[in-house]
Amino acid sequence: QSVLTQPPSVSGAPGQRVTISCTGSSSNIGAGYDVHWYQQFPGTAPKLLIFGNTNRPSGVPDRFSGSKSGTSASLAISGLQAEDEADYYCQSYGSSLIGPYVVFGGGTKLTVL
Amino acid sequence: QITLKESGPTLVKPTQTLTLTCTFSGFSLITGGVGVGWIRQPPGKALEWLALIYWDDDKRYSPSLKSRLTITKDTSKNQVVLTVTNMDPVDTATYYCAHKTSGRYDLGWWGQGTLVTVSS
């Protein structure tokens, strides 16, 4: 069971806007750690999509946006395209007695109808 | 250009120790703030973070797997090695290594991954 909670699946029609939530707790996202998002196509490695809650690496379309509030974060994809169909994962850090450690969400499968 | 590539056995027997090597280029693990991490993904399942080693040799491990993991670096060879003891069929997964940029806490660059199957 993943530390961060994501919906298993979301769907939308081309051109629509969808959001994927990532829910944590006071020991991870709520502790002030940034949230990052990754996109993964079948059989390939994850690719960084959003870093530092809201920032897009070079080359990522501005259709992708991120936000964070309290113990949760969200990834929004506007103007949905067929090529956006993939798995999406959120990542942050968690606090422990041995220091901060990386935590992932359980992933969300996006289906473009 | 940053690249990472994982290497190691594709098949291990239960109870054996797995040793994986991440060979990278395009950055140095002596640069302040830089790190290399290991993440795995069982077939059809989610990503699971395993370990991270920083430029200053600080090491972080997944709390649930800490007792079985060891991460080390060889800066002269641009390599990071992960060992996982007492392998079990549930450890069957694609194992990825990834680069952590200085000043940031995301994993910006990933290797292609290597599938490790645990079976007798």
Side-chain angles (χ1 to χ4, degrees):
Chain A
Q1 188 159 346
S2 301
V3 174
L4 305 178
T5 300
Q6 298 180 235
S9 63
V10 298
S11 63
Q16 286 189 331
R17 180 178 186 272
V18 297
T19 61
I20 299 172
S21 62
C22 175
T23 303
S25 69
S26 58
S27 63
N28 41 67
I29 297 174
Y33 294 111
D34 287 342
V35 177
H36 320 287
W37 292 90
Y38 303 86
Q39 178 188 56
Q40 185 181 34
F41 296 106
T44 69
K47 168 194 163 187
L48 180 66
L49 199 62
I50 297 286
F51 67 93
N53 304 316
T54 60
N55 303 289
R56 288 185 306 276
S58 174
V60 173
D62 59 6
R63 302 186 294 105
F64 295 89
S65 62
S67 64
K68 174 192 165 184
S69 178
T71 59
S72 296
S74 291
L75 172 70
I77 310 172
S78 59
L80 206 56
Q81 299 180 3
E83 66 201 49
D84 299 332
E85 186 162 293
D87 294 326
Y88 293 84
Y89 292 89
C90 60
Q91 176 244 310
S92 185
Y93 273 68
S95 301
S96 75
L97 294 177
I98 56 173
Y101 63 99
V102 177
V103 293
F104 280 101
T108 299
K109 181 176 180 58
L110 169 63
T111 300
V112 180
L113 302 172
Chain B
Q1 179 188 359
I2 290 175
T3 65
L4 305 98
K5 187 171 185 179
E6 307 85 353
S7 60
T10 58
L11 179 66
V12 298
K13 290 180 167 47
T15 75
Q16 287 187 334
T17 293
L18 170 67
T19 299
L20 293 172
T21 300
C22 176
T23 303
F24 56 84
S25 63
F27 68 95
S28 173
L29 247 184
I30 63 172
T31 301
V34 171
V36 172
W38 285 93
I39 305 95
R40 72 180 180 181
Q41 185 173 37
K45 296 189 177 181
L47 300 171
E48 178 183 24
W49 174 72
L50 300 177
L52 182 63
I53 189 165
Y54 291 92
W55 86 103
D56 59 357
D57 211 38
D58 185 18
K59 301 166 187 176
R60 301 299 167 94
Y61 295 102
S62 164
S64 61
L65 292 167
K66 186 179 190 305
S67 63
R68 299 174 52 207
L69 302 175
T70 302
I71 189 170
T72 59
K73 62 181 174 67
D74 186 331
T75 53
S76 66
K77 294 182 179 178
N78 280 355
Q79 291 181 334
V80 170
V81 174
L82 178 75
T83 62
V84 187
T85 62
N86 195 24
M87 292 289 284
D88 182 272
V90 299
D91 296 312
T92 293
T94 296
Y95 287 74
Y96 297 99
C97 62
H99 166 267
K100 174 204 162 308
T101 303
S102 175
R104 286 165 40 176
Y105 294 90
D106 55 273
L107 298 167
W109 301 92
W110 293 60
Q112 64 189 25
T114 185
L115 176 61
V116 178
T117 301
V118 184
S119 174
S120 55

